[in-house]
Amino acid sequence: MEGGMFGLVLLGLSSLLLSSQLVGGETPYCEESDVDAPNTKELFSLLMVNYSNICRPKMATNDTYGLVDAPEYVEFEFLVSNLWSIKSITTTFEYTGELWLQWVDCRLAFKSPERGGHVPVISMSHEALLMAFDNDLIWTPLPRNKNAAKEALALNNAIIWYIEPSGVVRARVPQRGTGRCPMDFAGVPFDDHTCKFIYASPEFLETEVQYVLATNPAHYVATGGLKNADWEIGPLEAVQTTTQTSLSDDEWLTYSAVEASFRIERNSYYYIANAVLPTLLFYLLSYVGFYISITAAPSRSAIHMSSILILVNHLRNITETLPTVSYRTWLGDYIVAHLCITVFHMVSFAIVFYCNDRLVYFTKRKEVQKLALEQALSAQALEQSRKAAEDGVMKARGALRRLDARIYMLKFGASFDAIFRVASVLLVIALNIYFLGFRED
């Protein structure tokens, strides 16, 4: 190895890099070259004579091959090694991985070992280029993730190029950054989302550079896929597409792009255990109040009111685990529905307590009216002031009838405690069947 800057590619990579054709791209078309040197440093220095990274390969070699009107076909492969910190609050995720890009640059062709050359493959790092030549000399169609919330561009300093005698260039581009993942929380905690990487090079139009997919264009480094405690992560897939930039209302710039995507499905256990189950328990706490005597007003009201306050605070705590949204969510509706039933418990208690209290009052008044009626009947029997006695009897009987009607209504209202008790259970059962049976998929 020469100064640690240049070296031969590892034997494990040699068979991969010495391919004769770009999968999905184009066959190397370069003429055989006689450029040769005893080591990679001297060979690369010879290749860099009159080399310019400003011009793309087919433009620079147009005099020889006449392909200036053809785009550079760049094979694209994306490997993801890890996904983590998938956050609902920010709708972002962290990722690490690497891009493998492959294209043809005839200016970098050299004499192969089969024809008597000394170097089978040139392996070159970005750091080595800067140290040896003070410049990033190799033309590279470097794509950017247009869907990144934050991309660690400094990792471009870790790019490694592998150059084959046929002019095939293969670049390994490390990736680490923060990606965006648009999320719809209507189905929480049974929601799933599609997260995307959109790679395109803003420096080259579609007529200049076209990305083509490798045999396996996007996949995870781990054979069994990636695991996450909060999410089930689906397979990584890629499609070839284009992106556009507007210059005016009717003028656009079109770029070749690759869209890699994966689906994530929330593991619902956390919200079931920490949101749904506690909601049911708080409801049961309120429901127990139906078995406390209506005459124990402080105890009865306290258990209903405490359940309401607990559920309100519970709803706020759960809401804080999600971003602020202006639409309904499954989990929010579930908690609010049980909160409404708990409020219904308190309202029913107030109705029954009022009916019982007034029932006692009007029952006492009925006894008074009965006594007044008896006195009126006695006066009538004694024929004392007959007219006044008859009026007194009619008045007493009318008051008694009105009291009987009120007492009947109050007894009916007081009996609502048993009705509310049954209705509450039936309503909660129906709500849970509805929510669990018709949740957002």
Side-chain angles (χ1 to χ4, degrees):
M1 289 237 255
E2 299 202 17
M5 296 187 299
F6 300 93
L8 295 179
V9 71
L10 295 175
L11 291 176
L13 291 173
S14 297
S15 60
L16 175 66
L17 296 174
L18 292 172
S19 59
S20 62
Q21 184 173 353
L22 282 169
V23 179
E26 60 184 337
T27 303
Y29 54 85
C30 306
E31 297 177 353
E32 292 183 346
S33 173
D34 291 326
V35 178
D36 189 28
N39 55 64
T40 56
K41 181 178 180 180
E42 294 182 15
L43 176 59
F44 189 76
S45 298
L46 290 174
L47 294 174
M48 289 298 102
V49 175
N50 298 323
Y51 185 94
S52 173
N53 62 358
I54 298 176
C55 296
R56 61 187 182 90
K58 288 178 180 175
M59 180 179 292
T61 60
N62 184 56
D63 292 342
T64 304
Y65 302 102
L67 298 174
V68 68
D69 294 328
E72 310 295 337
Y73 294 99
V74 181
E75 185 183 85
F76 182 97
E77 184 179 2
F78 182 35
L79 286 74
V80 175
S81 56
N82 197 11
L83 292 169
W84 76 97
S85 193
I86 304 175
K87 298 179 180 179
S88 297
I89 292 291
T90 58
T91 63
T92 59
F93 62 93
E94 304 290 329
Y95 66 94
T96 57
E98 57 188 37
L99 294 177
W100 283 91
L101 307 174
Q102 188 169 306
W103 65 96
V104 176
D105 190 342
C106 292
R107 296 171 294 178
L108 300 178
F110 56 92
K111 194 173 185 178
S112 65
E114 290 80 2
R115 298 175 52 242
H118 294 82
V119 179
V121 176
I122 298 175
S123 174
M124 185 75 61
S125 70
H126 185 277
E127 183 181 2
L129 279 175
L130 294 180
M131 292 178 63
F133 301 99
D134 296 325
N135 192 5
D136 185 358
L137 295 178
I138 301 178
W139 180 88
T140 304
L142 194 63
R144 307 290 188 193
N145 181 11
K146 295 172 66 74
N147 201 37
K150 182 178 68 174
E151 190 172 11
L153 299 179
L155 287 181
N156 292 339
N157 294 330
I159 297 176
I160 298 177
W161 291 270
Y162 302 95
I163 307 171
E164 301 179 16
S166 62
V168 171
V169 182
R170 188 166 170 84
R172 173 186 175 273
V173 187
Q175 299 286 296
R176 176 172 181 171
T178 304
R180 295 190 185 93
C181 188
M183 297 182 179
D184 180 0
F185 298 98
V188 171
F190 308 105
D191 52 327
D192 57 85
H193 315 278
T194 299
C195 305
K196 296 180 180 179
F197 305 89
I198 302 177
Y199 280 100
S201 178
E203 301 172 356
F204 305 101
L205 297 175
E206 185 182 23
T207 56
E208 298 174 315
V209 169
Q210 288 189 14
Y211 291 105
V212 293
L213 302 180
T215 303
N216 189 10
H219 55 94
Y220 301 117
V221 174
T223 305
L226 299 180
K227 305 295 182 182
N228 186 279
D230 300 325
W231 301 87
E232 292 291 334
I233 301 176
L236 191 63
E237 300 176 346
V239 294
Q240 188 175 358
T241 183
T242 58
T243 62
Q244 291 184 323
T245 299
S246 175
L247 294 180
S248 62
D249 292 340
D250 56 354
E251 189 175 3
W252 299 79
L253 295 179
T254 303
Y255 306 93
S256 179
V258 174
E259 180 182 296
S261 62
F262 61 94
R263 291 190 66 81
I264 55 174
E265 182 178 354
R266 191 187 302 272
N267 291 325
S268 59
Y269 176 80
Y270 173 83
Y271 282 103
I272 295 295
N274 294 279
V276 175
L277 183 58
T279 298
L280 285 173
L281 294 177
F282 298 147
Y283 159 79
L284 289 175
L285 176 64
S286 177
Y287 181 78
V288 169
F290 280 115
Y291 295 92
I292 298 177
S293 174
I294 201 69
T295 58
S299 301
R300 179 79 176 262
S301 61
I303 197 169
H304 289 321
M305 200 63 205
S306 61
S307 299
I308 293 172
L309 296 176
I310 290 172
L311 272 175
V312 169
N313 188 60
H314 179 58
L315 176 61
R316 185 187 65 181
N317 292 338
I318 294 300
T319 302
E320 289 177 352
T321 65
L322 300 171
T324 302
V325 295
S326 58
Y327 52 83
R328 293 164 52 191
T329 65
W330 185 97
L331 188 58
D333 286 351
Y334 185 87
I335 298 176
V336 168
H338 287 76
L339 176 60
C340 289
I341 297 176
T342 306
V343 172
F344 168 74
H345 291 174
M346 187 65 190
V347 172
S348 68
F349 162 70
I351 293 172
V352 174
F353 181 81
Y354 172 81
C355 290
N356 274 277
D357 181 66
R358 301 308 291 172
L359 182 62
V360 173
Y361 170 75
F362 284 112
T363 301
K364 291 180 179 179
R365 283 194 58 184
K366 182 178 179 181
E367 295 300 325
V368 173
Q369 287 298 325
K370 281 184 177 180
L371 182 59
L373 178 60
E374 290 175 359
Q375 290 175 350
L377 290 172
S378 299
Q380 186 180 23
L382 295 173
E383 295 185 356
Q384 297 175 352
S385 183
R386 186 177 184 84
K387 178 64 176 173
E390 289 179 354
D391 291 342
V393 170
M394 292 179 62
K395 185 177 181 180
R397 284 176 174 170
L400 197 58
R401 282 194 296 270
R402 289 191 296 272
L403 284 172
D404 283 337
R406 289 186 177 182
I407 289 172
Y408 176 79
M409 294 299 295
L410 290 170
K411 284 182 176 179
F412 180 72
S415 68
F416 274 12
D417 205 36
I419 298 174
F420 290 152
R421 183 188 310 168
V422 175
S424 174
V425 173
L426 295 177
L427 189 56
V428 164
I429 292 175
L431 279 174
N432 279 271
I433 291 174
Y434 170 78
F435 275 104
L436 296 177
F438 298 94
R439 66 175 184 263
E440 290 283 344
D441 293 325

